[in-house]
Amino acid sequence: MTTIEDVKIIELPRFLDARGNLSFIEQNNQIPFEIKRTYWIYDVPGGEQRGGHAFVKNQEVIIALSGSFDVLVNDGKRSKRFNLNRSYYAIYIPSGLWRKLESFSTNSVALEFGSEPYDTADYVRDYDTFLELKLNETL
Ligand code: TYD
């Protein structure tokens, strides 16, 4: 049973350089899982939201590569809002939590790494179903 206490902000390595800064991630190092998938969300119109759902198995790490947005995480009992606005911070979200991205700034880019390949069966898209699964301790 995961809770919002399991969500972590990870500070990534930073190489500050007059030519431009550099940060990086490696699987099983800065990211606590093997990366099976990478995707990104961009060109988000003002006021839109993405990703209102939970994953059964997929763990993820999200980085605001550009701009800023909020990540809302909910474990069925409590919720927490994280504002991502620097490309050297990542948020780790384990499986079994409801998560939503919103308040995207203009030209923001959300980079996401997943521990699983894309699988529609891994999604819980109905919030009431999510609450029931958390209540039964099956998620
Ligand atoms: P989805 O995860 O439903 O986005 P959101 O929850 O933010 O609305 O993904 C939207 C569509 O993109 C979905 O119909 C299938 C496709 N998709 C893939 O093919 N592979 C992926 O890894 C992801 C994340 C989405």
Side-chain angles (χ1 to χ4, degrees), residues 1 6 19 22 27-28 30 37 44 49 51 68 74 87 90 92-93 111 116 118 124 129 134 138:
M1 275 274 297
D6 300 312
R19 301 168 300 159
L22 182 150
Q27 61 184 357
N28 296 317
Q30 291 79 20
R37 182 161 57 115
V44 179
Q49 299 182 338
S68 70
N74 179 327
S87 61
Y92 166 71
I93 307 177
L111 180 65
E116 308 299 324
Y118 180 68
V124 181
T129 306
K134 286 309 255 187
T138 45

Side-chain angles (χ1 to χ4, degrees), residues 37 39 50-53 118 123 125:
R37 182 161 57 115
Y39 60 97
R50 295 294 314 224
H53 56 71
Y118 180 68
Y123 281 70
R125 290 197 178 275

Side-chain angles (χ1 to χ4, degrees), residues 37-50:
R37 182 161 57 115
T38 305
Y39 60 97
W40 47 99
I41 294 171
Y42 53 97
D43 290 347
V44 179
E48 287 293 345
Q49 299 182 338
R50 295 294 314 224

Side-chain angles (χ1 to χ4, degrees), residues 73-122:
V73 188
N74 179 327
D75 60 16
K77 288 192 178 132
R78 288 182 302 153
S79 64
K80 203 166 168 183
R81 177 184 295 269
F82 297 86
N83 178 251
L84 293 185
N85 60 6
R86 291 283 184 269
S87 61
Y88 51 85
Y89 282 117
I91 184 170
Y92 166 71
I93 307 177
S95 57
L97 298 177
W98 191 266
R99 42 63 119 210
K100 187 165 76 174
L101 277 60
E102 65 179 27
S103 305
F104 287 88
S105 70
T106 306
N107 290 331
S108 54
V109 179
L111 180 65
E112 313 208 9
F113 301 94
S115 66
E116 308 299 324
Y118 180 68
D119 177 8
T120 46
D122 196 47

